[in-house]
Amino acid sequence: MNDCIFCKIIKGDIPSKKYYEDELMIVIADIDPKAKLHYLAIPKKHYKLLSEMSADDAVDLGKCMKKISEIAPTLGLENGYRLIINQGDDAIQTVPHLHIHILGGQKLVLRDFRTDV
Ligand code: AMP
Ligand code: ZN
């Protein structure tokens, strides 16, 4: 998709701090980190939602998840990490290209969102 910022990053048209790349995904530093370590794993195929995936896309996403687990120690995530995939409006997904947030480098308390407006 032409105006997608993550497609542009994948193509190299927008610079990023890249930590890993293979035929299925890239892993980059989030430009606005929300934890001591915050990466984005971005599948190279453009789609927004898990509900839009084909069966092949689902297999590829599974491979991406496995690869994340394999490279985690090289990313400083030996003690664990949290994966987040924001989907749609309530999750406040801002980039409509599916991506996996990888958070770590510290203890990550799961906070209570119920009092948020
Ligand atoms: P989401 O809100 O789940 O769609 O997450 C989008 C993420 O992309 C946010 O955490 C942004 O900080 C991050 N982001 C946006 N533009 C860039 C960029 N050029 N390089 C790296 N991360 C970015
Ligand atoms: Zn895209």
Side-chain angles (χ1 to χ4, degrees), residues 1 18 20 29 33 46 52 62-63 66 84 96:
M1 186 181 273
K18 201 184 296 178
Y20 177 79
H46 180 96
E52 298 170 352
K63 289 178 183 170
K66 179 158 176 50
I84 297 172

Side-chain angles (χ1 to χ4, degrees), residues 5-6 9 14-17 28-34 38-40 42 84-88 91-97 99-101:
I5 189 166
F6 285 174
I9 287 173
I14 291 178
S16 66
K17 184 156 190 201
I28 64 170
D30 195 294
I31 204 168
D32 183 17
K34 304 300 190 299
H38 187 175
Y39 308 95
L40 299 173
I42 309 174
I84 297 172
I85 304 178
N86 290 323
Q87 293 284 275
I92 316 182
Q93 181 178 3
T94 59
V95 178
H97 179 133
H99 52 282
I100 305 165
H101 294 264

Side-chain angles (χ1 to χ4, degrees), residues 59-70:
V59 170
D60 286 349
L61 189 64
K63 289 178 183 170
C64 291
M65 302 282 271
K66 179 158 176 50
K67 185 56 72 174
I68 289 168
S69 75
E70 291 167 0

